[in-house]
Amino acid sequence: MDFNVRRLAADAGTFLSRAVQYTEEKLGQAEKTELDAHLENLLARAESTKHWTEKIMRQTEVLLQPNPNVRMEEFLYEMLDRKVPTRANNHELLGECMIDSGHEFGPGTAYGSALIKCGETQKQLGSAEKEFIQSSAINFLTPFRNFIEGDYKTISKERKLLQNKRLDLDAAKTRLKKARVADARSAMWAEEVDQAETELRISQSEFDRQAEITRLLLEGISSTHAHHLRCLNDFVEAQTAYYAQCYQYMVNLQKQLGSFPSSFSSNNNQSLASASGGISVPSAPAATASLPLPAPGQASPALNELRSNSGTRKARVLYDYDAGSSTELSLLADEVITVSSVPGMDSDWLMGERGNQKGKVPITYLELLN
């Protein structure tokens, strides 16, 4: 117990000596041993590395997860050493919404089918995004975080020890200087001078040893930069693969949507409809150029007969058609419906019936049957 008391007393004395030395340095009343320029440069380089590593980490986390609430939740799960619950991302949520609405409108309709295809692609984008985030977290963020929480903490600890050894050294120099001044006045202080010189040699040795330890650790920052460079290359490769995959998904989706009739593939064809008071005027698909359709302003004999006797005929649907308004009837390719001519109706349209459903249909999407 006496040993512990003496040790606590010695620690308290050392702490007080350092505090006095630090205060006198701040007040300009004591000299300060400066570190060599090489060591100072290494310390500045380590501090800069830590600063920018933390900043890059924060911005990368914002890129990978823009929602700050979700980032905080994930951080809490990590602190509690618990697995983060799996949740759908925005692409996947949008994909589910599109698929559900497509089934609601009918997968047999052009609009419903397009919604389902878009929804499936959105889910693919969501899955690719999750893979990119996971890859970036493992190969990029984790090494950066390991440096901050591991290597730099060790550097900070040794740097603090170096600062304490430097204070001890300067305090020993101050005591020796005071002992020599007193010895010049009285021979009784010779023993104090010898003791002060011994303390100075010990302090100098400990300071030099701690400076060498700190220098070796700081020179390892070059290896850290090399490792972070490899991590940066991995991040760029993951980002390149992610965007290339997303581009391919969208190109494939665009090709699938391009198989629909041109009047539904783009909004550019709607200007004519808007100029005519919102009346939908369907355009014939490009593929119909080879079909024996009547020329503009003319009608086939079967169509003339249908209009003259005001009867009904069966017609086969050539292409999917999504109704543009409540007065129109959506069509499914290859289905057979009943059509009739209504007096006063635009010559490009017929009245179509399917069971209890009834509405206008464009004649360019139909083939009259005998």
Side-chain angles (χ1 to χ4, degrees):
M1 183 173 180
D2 292 339
F3 172 77
N4 291 334
V5 171
R6 288 196 298 272
R7 183 174 181 180
L8 288 174
D11 291 343
T14 301
F15 176 79
L16 180 60
S17 174
R18 291 171 180 170
V20 171
Q21 177 66 27
Y22 181 79
T23 303
E24 290 180 350
E25 288 176 0
K26 290 298 182 181
L27 296 176
Q29 299 175 358
E31 295 181 0
K32 176 182 177 181
T33 299
E34 299 293 340
L35 303 177
D36 66 80
H38 178 60
L39 189 56
E40 288 284 7
N41 289 335
L42 290 176
L43 287 169
R45 189 185 187 202
E47 188 64 31
S48 177
T49 301
K50 180 248 186 185
H51 168 74
W52 287 110
T53 299
E54 288 181 329
K55 197 164 186 177
I56 291 172
M57 278 177 54
R58 287 195 297 269
Q59 289 303 123
T60 304
E61 289 169 350
V62 171
L63 170 69
L64 299 179
Q65 178 48 263
N67 190 327
N69 295 327
V70 175
R71 290 203 305 274
M72 178 57 68
E73 181 182 351
E74 292 176 349
F75 173 76
L76 292 176
Y77 273 103
E78 183 178 348
M79 293 296 293
L80 296 173
D81 197 21
R82 295 177 59 185
K83 184 178 180 181
V84 179
T86 303
R87 62 166 61 87
N89 56 28
N90 291 331
H91 283 296
E92 291 174 328
L93 291 174
L94 176 59
E96 291 290 347
C97 181
M98 286 183 168
I99 291 173
D100 291 344
S101 61
H103 285 295
E104 177 71 20
F105 293 132
T109 65
Y111 183 44
S113 177
L115 279 171
I116 293 174
K117 293 181 186 299
C118 289
E120 291 172 347
T121 300
Q122 290 298 324
K123 293 182 72 173
Q124 289 178 318
L125 293 175
S127 178
E129 182 183 61
K130 284 185 174 179
E131 292 177 4
F132 168 62
I133 291 175
Q134 183 179 17
S135 173
S136 299
I138 295 173
N139 299 323
F140 188 63
L141 287 179
T142 298
F144 275 46
R145 188 176 292 110
N146 289 341
F147 166 73
I148 297 297
E149 298 177 356
D151 294 349
Y152 190 78
K153 278 190 175 181
T154 302
I155 290 174
S156 298
K157 178 182 176 181
E158 298 300 329
R159 182 178 182 176
K160 185 177 180 180
L161 285 175
L162 178 63
Q163 171 71 356
N164 290 336
K165 295 302 180 182
R166 201 271 308 162
L167 289 172
D168 292 341
L169 174 62
D170 288 335
K173 289 179 179 178
T174 302
R175 284 194 296 271
L176 177 59
K177 184 182 296 185
K178 291 179 179 179
R180 284 175 175 171
V181 171
D183 182 54
R185 298 174 182 174
S186 173
M188 296 176 59
W189 290 90
E191 185 177 346
E192 293 293 332
V193 172
D194 291 340
Q195 183 179 353
E197 288 177 344
T198 301
E199 291 179 355
L200 178 59
R201 286 194 297 272
I202 294 174
S203 297
Q204 183 71 57
S205 175
E206 291 180 350
F207 172 76
D208 292 340
R209 182 166 59 85
Q210 186 59 41
E212 181 65 14
I213 293 173
T214 306
R215 182 185 64 79
L216 291 174
L217 285 173
L218 291 172
E219 287 177 347
I221 291 293
S222 297
S223 299
T224 299
H225 286 188
H227 179 50
H228 286 183
L229 176 58
R230 292 192 295 271
C231 295
L232 184 61
N233 285 331
D234 291 341
F235 177 69
V236 171
E237 288 179 4
Q239 211 169 17
T240 302
Y242 166 62
Y243 287 121
Q245 192 174 17
C246 291
Y247 173 76
Q248 190 59 51
Y249 286 149
M250 297 311 298
V251 168
N252 293 339
L253 175 62
Q254 194 174 36
K255 290 179 179 179
Q256 294 179 54
L257 295 182
S259 64
F260 291 104
S262 59
S263 58
F264 309 113
S265 298
S266 172
N267 286 331
N268 295 334
N269 295 329
Q270 302 303 318
S271 57
L272 178 60
S274 301
S276 59
I279 301 175
S280 299
V281 181
S283 302
T288 61
S290 61
L291 297 176
L293 294 178
Q298 298 180 0
S300 66
L303 183 58
N304 288 331
E305 180 182 353
L306 176 63
R307 287 173 174 166
S308 62
N309 59 24
S310 300
T312 62
R313 291 283 294 271
K314 295 292 183 180
R316 184 173 66 86
V317 178
L318 299 175
Y319 304 98
D320 288 349
Y321 176 72
D322 201 16
S325 68
S326 59
T327 62
E328 299 176 11
L329 181 66
S330 295
L331 303 175
L332 185 62
D334 293 326
E335 70 172 326
V336 176
I337 63 172
T338 301
V339 295
S340 61
S341 178
V342 177
M345 181 178 290
D346 190 287
S347 59
D348 291 327
W349 298 82
L350 291 174
M351 184 60 66
E353 295 183 39
R354 184 199 303 110
N356 295 328
Q357 296 178 322
K358 189 174 183 179
K360 295 192 302 180
V361 294
I363 63 173
T364 51
Y365 285 66
L366 303 173
E367 177 187 12
L368 295 178
L369 303 176
N370 295 326

